């Protein structure tokens, strides 16, 4: 069956689009490496949202009663119980607002949950799980009286394969990341907690992210089209969902620090995208006073930074206007009122670890959700002769440091107060890895190790377990029905990874496989892990990417290994055959003339787009993942809802909806397909929609659905294709352009799988 998806609109000359299509000389790109000034800061007014408008009315009513000093006091951090504490105005009944990490659970506290990292949530390719994840986090943050949760994360997106914080995001694709941002924000803010989407913008590596003894921070130099179509894209989804706060990032962007970059904050965020909430600095991310205020920063953390009395003086001498200060305060207060936090919100219940305090247990039944996401985000990439699921083995060998509980990680007092830091798995060989390191790490109330969960299963079958967690060349017992090897790859804030493989782990896998004909490898990784040194060994029968699953790690992987859950996770990144295949996207690539510069010369082509463009065959493509069942795809169709859509959306104004003009979010087409379970196991399948947009990367993810299908059953899935999904950013008109031309439509199991793909070519749809 063949069809062609077409849209109306005149096609402009494309010479000026070369900056994002792929260029060789960055000096030819307009404004490349420069950040055009955009002043003044648009004033928040509620836009076209009645809820925001009502919040602003209340905010300005309170502001009218405040002194200059009280207003300034609200705009910066103070000491207190939390990682961040805003200024209070006690005489007017305005409390401090409590800010806390982390994206996968409240950091440094007791009786809280350790959720899977966002990378695992992304690997589930399940919007419902994304929402439930945000909702559960919201319940815990609210229960602890935390006003602002420092989540979700879309920066880094995952440009640099070895990036230290890639695990904090949903995956290396803007559409997938956007779906995660949208649904987590909805779930979180439905509980009345302020979401803080971060890090805005272009925070793609840890190397030289801050100034220091070596000089200024590095500058992420990115063309305007790539900023819009790739890096700002997922933040648009968070904004459209109503996110009330944005955190600006540490590094420079086009040679202007992100927290004083007027193009990013005044131009893109508050003008084009109509943001009504407040911009908060990353902790210590402010590097100037007047410049940051006038560029759109509203709240500095964790202390007064360059503001405090200096801001009072700047307002008095006219360097910062009264209206800019009022707007800063109004944006903070409006967010507070927008989430109805003045109506019975709990007092902060976070405490240092070394002070006796009230026990506040906020976990509810979140362990079951954590276990469900841990299984749903596990990606099976190899399964020879249906090795998995296990058939109730009575004799298992279990090897590898990642199978055990780590030694105590409760050793690092918090840098910012409000508890303690925990790097669970901070030493890679120390034990099972359930989260990454740094401010994004969570604090588990317990951990179910893989060994514990598997041992319990074997004991129920009156079996025997043999184990060795430490040896590189362990003894393999002849009667074992399977040998399961657990390895991991750690990553953290503050530094990038030095390798995507590990010599010790690789030797361990090879040594076990040399002596065990049924070797199963499970990897808990904070990002990409290359496997080509052992993946083709004939004795390695099954391999799973189990990501960072949180406290229920062992139970989640046992559910998949034993077949209680058929694996449906999909890779949220591309796994290369060798590290060099990532080319300039492997490491941070910085020049030092005259200041550290990182030129994003690949434009729109990161991850699978890069592999497509350069004709590189990956080991495992983005979106890849196996199942215990099999599926057939059929009956794909495209329905057009509007064949008169104009080439450009109307000019955006500050009264536009958050996330951009409402026309961008209108569905112009619906793509449908039928999915039949032709196997023998009831399982989830994850069909994915890829569009080929003219003058853009040949394939871009623009839809996915996780659907449960019983054997012999057929389920229809549909993907709504919006104007934004079909558009490119016109750098001359500074608007989203809907081109006239040929658009390919692919529905399949992954970006490069051909055997389960349906593609349209041929007749037009109007």
């Amino acid at each position: 069956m063949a069809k062609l998806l077409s849209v109306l609109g005149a096609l402009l000359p494309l010479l000026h689009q070369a900056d994002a299509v792929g260029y060789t000389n960055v000096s030819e790109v307009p404004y490349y490496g420069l950040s055009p000034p955009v002043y003044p800061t648009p004033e928040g007014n509620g836009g076209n949202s009645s809820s925001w408008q009502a919040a602003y009315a209340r905010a300005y009513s309170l502001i009218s009663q405040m002194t200059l000093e009280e207003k300034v006091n609200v705009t910066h951090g103070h000491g207190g119980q939390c990682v961040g504490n805003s200024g209070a105005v006690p005489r007017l009944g305005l409390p401090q607002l409590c800010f806390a990490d982390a994206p996968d659970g409240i950091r440094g506290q007791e009786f809280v949950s350790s959720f899977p990292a966002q990378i695992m949530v992304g690997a589930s390719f399940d919007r419902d799980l994304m929402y439930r994840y945000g909702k559960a986090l919201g319940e815990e943050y609210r229960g602890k009286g935390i006003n602002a949760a420092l989540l979700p994360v879309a920066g880094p997106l995952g440009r640099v394969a070895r990036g230290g914080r890639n695990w904090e995001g949903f995956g290396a694709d803007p559409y997938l990341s956007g779906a995660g941002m949208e649904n987590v924000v909805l779930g979180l803010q439905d509980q009345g907690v302020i979401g803080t989407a971060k890090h805005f913008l272009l925070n793609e590596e840890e190397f030289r992210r801050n100034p220091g003894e070596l000089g200024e921070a590095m500058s992420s130099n990115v063309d305007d089209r790539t900023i819009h179509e790739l890096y700002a894209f997922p933040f648009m989804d968070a904004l459209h969902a109503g996110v009330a706060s944005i955190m600006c990032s540490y590094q420079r962007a086009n040679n202007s620090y992100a927290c004083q970059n007027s193009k990013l904050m005044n131009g893109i965020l508050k003008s084009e995208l109509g943001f009504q909430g407040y911009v908060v600095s990353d902790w210590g991310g402010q590097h100037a006073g007047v410049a940051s205020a006038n560029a759109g920063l509203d709240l500095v953390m964790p202390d007064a930074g360059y503001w405090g009395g200096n801001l009072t003086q700047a307002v008095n001498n006219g360097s910062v206007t009264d209206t800019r200060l009022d707007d800063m305060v109004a944006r903070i207060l409006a967010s507070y009122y927008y989430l109805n936090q003045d109506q019975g919100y709990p007092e902060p219940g976070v405490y240092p670890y070394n002070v006796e305090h009230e026990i506040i247990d906020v976990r509810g039944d979140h362990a079951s959700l954590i276990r469900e996401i841990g299984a749903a985000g596990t990606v099976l990439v190899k399964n020879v002769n249906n090795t998995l699921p296990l058939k109730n083995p009575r004799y298992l060998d279990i090897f590898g440091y990642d199978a055990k509980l780590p030694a105590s990680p409760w050793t690092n007092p918090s840098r910012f107060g409000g508890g303690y830091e925990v790097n669970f798995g901070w030493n890679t060989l120390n034990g099972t890895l359930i989260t990454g390191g740094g401010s994004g790490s969570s604090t588990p109330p317990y951990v179910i190790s893989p060994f514990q969960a598997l041992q319990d299963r074997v004991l129920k079958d009156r079996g025997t377990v043999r184990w060795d967690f430490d040896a590189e060349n362990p003894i393999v017992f002849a009667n074992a029905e399977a040998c399961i090897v657990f390895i991991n790859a750690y990553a953290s804030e503050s530094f990038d990874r030095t390798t995507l493989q590990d010599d010790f782990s690789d030797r361990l896998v090879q040594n076990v496989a040399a002596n065990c004909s049924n070797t199963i490898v499970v990897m808990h990784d904070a990002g990409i892990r290359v496997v080509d040194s052992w993946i083709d060994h004939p004795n390695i029968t099954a391999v799973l990417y189990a990501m960072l699953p949180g406290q229920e790690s062992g139970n989640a992987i046992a559910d998949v290994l034993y077949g209680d859950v058929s694996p449906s996770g999909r890779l949220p990144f591309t796994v290369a055959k060798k590290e060099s295949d990532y080319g300039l996207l492997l490491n941070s690539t910085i020049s030092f003339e005259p200041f550290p510069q990182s030129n994003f010369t690949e434009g729109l082509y990161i991850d699978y787009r890069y592999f497509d463009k350069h004709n590189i065959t990956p080991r495992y493509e983005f979106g890849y993942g196996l199942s215990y069942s099999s599926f057939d795809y059929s009956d794909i169709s495209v329905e057009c809802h509007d064949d008169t859509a104009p080439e450009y959306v109307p000019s955006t104004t500050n009264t536009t909806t958050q996330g951009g003009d409402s026309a961008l979010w209108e569905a112009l087409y619906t793509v449908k397909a039928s999915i039949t379970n032709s196997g023998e196991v009831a399982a989830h399948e994850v069909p994915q929609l890829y569009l080929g947009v003219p003058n853009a990367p040949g394939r871009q993810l623009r839809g996915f659905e996780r659907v449960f299908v019983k054997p012999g059953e057929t389920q229809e899935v549909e993907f709504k294709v919006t104007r934004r999904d079909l558009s490119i950013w016109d750098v001359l008109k500074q608007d989203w352009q809907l081109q006239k031309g040929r658009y390919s439509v692919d529905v399949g199991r992954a970006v490069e799988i051909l055997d389960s793909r349906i593609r349209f070519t041929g007749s037009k749809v109007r």
Side-chain angles (χ1 to χ4, degrees):
M1 187 173 185
K3 295 182 182 290
L4 173 69
L5 179 63
S6 301
V7 292
L8 298 178
L11 183 63
L12 288 178
L14 294 174
L15 179 61
H16 65 274
Q17 300 289 3
D19 54 335
V21 174
Y23 47 78
T24 57
N25 186 352
V26 298
S27 64
E28 297 176 356
V29 179
Y31 302 111
Y32 191 83
L34 302 175
S35 186
V38 180
Y39 298 101
T41 301
E43 294 178 30
N45 55 25
N48 60 4
S49 164
S50 59
S51 297
W52 273 112
Q53 290 169 5
Y56 267 97
R58 298 192 62 193
Y60 274 108
S61 176
L62 193 65
I63 289 170
S64 68
Q65 305 172 59
M66 295 169 63
T67 66
L68 171 61
E69 289 72 19
E70 287 172 334
K71 295 175 188 178
V72 168
N73 192 56
V74 172
T75 66
H76 66 79
H78 297 259
Q81 290 177 251
C82 305
V83 169
N85 307 270
S86 71
V89 185
R91 73 178 185 87
L92 297 178
L94 180 67
Q96 284 190 320
L97 302 186
C98 172
F99 296 70
D101 298 304
D104 58 357
I106 302 171
R107 181 169 61 101
Q109 294 297 308
E110 301 161 339
F111 294 91
V112 297
S113 300
S114 177
F115 290 83
Q118 279 190 187
I119 195 69
M120 189 154 218
V121 182
S124 76
F125 277 67
D126 188 320
R127 286 181 171 84
D128 178 63
L129 285 179
M130 293 169 178
Y131 174 83
R132 290 165 57 200
Y133 177 82
K135 179 176 181 291
L137 283 164
E139 290 168 352
E140 298 208 5
Y141 274 89
R142 183 186 180 98
K144 289 288 188 181
I146 298 165
N147 301 90
L150 304 182
L151 67 110
V153 176
L157 181 62
R159 171 187 182 256
V160 178
R162 290 179 175 175
R165 301 186 78 173
N166 290 350
W167 60 276
E168 292 188 41
F170 295 98
D173 177 85
Y175 185 91
L176 174 64
S177 184
M181 294 287 276
E182 174 188 17
N183 287 284
V184 170
V185 166
L186 289 172
L188 183 73
Q189 294 197 167
D190 279 353
Q191 307 312 304
V193 179
I194 295 171
T196 308
K198 62 182 190 180
H199 304 86
F200 194 83
L201 196 63
L202 309 176
N203 176 48
E204 293 297 316
E205 59 196 61
E206 294 300 283
F207 180 57
R208 294 293 296 271
R209 65 176 183 164
N210 274 318
E213 293 181 358
L214 297 177
E216 296 293 334
M218 56 80 66
S219 176
S220 298
N221 298 328
V222 188
D223 67 89
D224 188 44
R225 180 178 173 188
T226 298
I227 288 175
H228 284 81
E229 293 185 36
L230 199 60
Y231 297 105
F233 193 100
F235 285 92
M236 294 174 70
D237 292 271
L239 292 164
H240 193 241
V243 73
S245 176
I246 296 286
M247 179 187 290
C248 53
S249 54
Y250 281 128
Q251 89 301 326
R252 292 182 295 153
N254 289 327
N255 287 290
S256 172
Y257 277 103
C259 288
Q260 63 194 60
N261 189 306
S262 65
K263 172 62 175 177
L264 292 184
M265 293 190 291
N266 290 344
I268 295 176
L269 182 60
K270 292 182 176 180
S271 293
E272 290 176 23
L273 303 182
F275 179 49
Q276 298 300 317
Y278 63 87
V279 178
V280 59
S281 73
D282 204 339
W283 270 228
Q286 186 196 42
H287 299 294
V290 170
S292 62
N294 290 333
L297 183 65
D298 302 303
L299 177 61
V300 60
M301 283 291 172
D303 48 31
Y306 287 84
W307 286 355
N310 293 331
L311 182 57
T312 303
Q313 182 179 353
V315 173
N316 282 328
N317 66 27
S319 301
V320 176
T321 64
D322 292 321
T323 55
R324 173 78 269 259
L325 176 61
D326 285 354
D327 180 58
M328 294 180 201
V329 180
R331 287 175 175 274
I332 297 166
L333 298 185
S335 299
Y336 173 71
Y337 292 128
Y338 178 67
L339 274 301
N340 299 312
Q341 292 190 347
D342 61 314
Q343 301 175 20
Y345 204 83
E347 294 290 327
V350 294
Y351 303 97
Y353 73 98
N354 58 351
V355 174
E356 186 176 352
H357 53 265
E358 176 188 4
I359 297 298
I360 303 174
D361 190 340
V362 296
R363 295 171 294 175
D365 187 33
H366 298 155
S368 60
L369 174 64
I370 292 168
R371 182 171 179 170
E372 182 181 357
I373 295 174
T378 295
V379 185
L380 177 67
V381 297
K382 182 177 182 179
N383 194 22
V384 177
N385 298 324
N386 297 318
T387 292
L388 296 179
L390 298 172
K391 282 73 176 178
N392 297 322
R394 297 192 63 216
Y395 200 145
L396 275 184
D397 280 358
I398 299 175
F399 302 120
Y401 52 88
D402 185 73
K404 65 178 180 177
L405 280 177
S408 173
W410 322 106
T411 55
N412 301 322
S414 174
R415 290 168 292 174
F416 303 119
Y420 46 82
E421 289 191 52
V422 55
N423 285 317
F424 223 83
W426 59 272
N427 179 344
T428 302
L429 302 183
N430 190 35
T432 194
L433 192 65
I434 65 167
T435 183
S439 65
S441 62
S442 54
T443 308
Y446 62 84
V447 173
I448 304 297
S449 70
F451 177 76
Q452 177 184 342
L454 291 173
Q455 178 176 251
D456 289 347
R457 295 271 186 149
V458 174
L459 291 179
K460 287 181 180 179
D461 295 324
R462 296 183 58 80
T464 292
V465 180
R466 292 289 182 263
W467 65 91
D468 190 330
F469 302 136
D470 303 314
E472 182 180 302
N473 193 7
I475 296 172
V476 174
F477 292 83
N479 281 343
E481 297 168 57
C483 304
I484 307 179
V485 185
F486 287 88
I487 58 177
N488 63 42
Y490 176 67
S492 174
E493 180 183 7
S494 299
F495 55 88
D496 294 317
R497 298 166 67 186
T498 58
T499 180
L500 301 181
Q501 55 192 18
D502 176 73
D503 291 341
F504 178 90
S505 300
D506 290 344
R507 289 193 298 268
L508 169 62
V509 171
Q510 291 162 350
N511 290 337
V512 173
N515 297 287
C516 181
S517 61
N518 188 21
T519 299
I520 299 164
V521 182
V522 178
M523 299 177 289
H524 288 121
D525 297 328
I528 298 168
R529 177 70 151 79
V530 297
V531 295
D532 267 56
S533 65
W534 46 261
I535 191 66
D536 291 324
H537 195 293
N539 287 347
I540 295 178
T541 54
V543 177
L544 302 102
Y545 283 79
M547 311 290 175
L548 300 174
Q551 67 194 41
E552 288 285 323
S553 173
N555 286 332
I557 194 62
D559 287 344
V560 173
L561 291 172
Y562 273 78
D564 299 341
V565 176
S566 175
S568 62
R570 300 292 185 262
L571 289 174
F573 44 67
T574 297
V575 178
K577 291 183 176 180
K578 55 183 184 296
E579 293 195 53
S580 60
D581 286 345
Y582 293 101
L584 59 86
L585 300 178
L586 176 62
N587 296 308
S588 55
T589 51
I590 294 182
S591 63
F592 292 91
E593 297 179 0
F595 301 111
Q597 308 285 313
S598 180
N599 294 322
F600 290 31
T601 54
E602 74 286 344
L604 296 170
Y605 296 90
I606 68 168
D607 201 75
Y608 67 87
R609 303 159 178 230
Y610 178 86
F611 280 72
D612 275 356
K613 179 181 179 182
H614 295 280
N615 228 5
I616 302 170
T617 302
R619 167 56 66 177
Y620 297 117
E621 58 269 22
F622 174 91
Y624 180 78
L626 302 177
S627 171
Y628 293 155
S629 197
S630 56
F631 299 89
D632 296 326
Y633 286 52
S634 62
D635 299 330
I636 189 167
S637 63
V638 176
E639 177 185 359
C640 178
H641 303 302
D642 184 2
D643 62 359
T644 63
E647 181 181 8
Y648 294 96
V649 299
S651 298
T652 57
T653 68
N654 198 39
T655 60
T656 191
T657 184
Q658 277 206 166
D661 195 285
S662 58
L664 289 172
W665 304 94
E666 295 174 357
L668 300 185
Y669 292 86
T670 297
V671 178
K672 297 180 180 180
S674 294
I675 313 298
T676 301
N677 187 334
S678 55
E680 300 178 353
V681 177
H684 284 93
E685 173 65 343
V686 183
Q688 300 158 44
L689 168 68
Y690 292 88
L691 296 184
V693 177
N695 306 299
R699 285 176 293 183
Q700 300 183 77
L701 181 70
R702 286 298 185 261
F704 61 84
E705 190 71 34
R706 183 171 181 254
V707 57
F708 187 74
V709 193
K710 298 176 181 178
E713 183 181 40
T714 298
Q715 294 274 9
E716 184 180 73
V717 295
E718 65 176 40
F719 309 100
K720 298 294 185 182
V721 181
T722 67
R723 171 189 274 272
R724 184 183 66 145
D725 294 332
L726 296 163
S727 297
I728 65 173
W729 179 254
D730 187 314
V731 298
L732 291 185
K733 287 189 173 291
Q734 290 290 288
D735 203 353
W736 292 95
Q737 181 190 10
L738 190 60
Q739 304 169 92
K740 180 179 181 180
R742 298 171 62 89
Y743 290 67
S744 65
V745 181
D746 296 335
V747 178
R749 303 194 70 242
V751 70
E752 291 200 4
I753 292 181
L754 298 176
D755 58 351
S756 295
R757 170 182 293 169
I758 307 168
R759 181 166 190 161
F760 286 123
T761 56
S763 61
K764 293 183 179 180
V765 176
R766 292 291 186 185

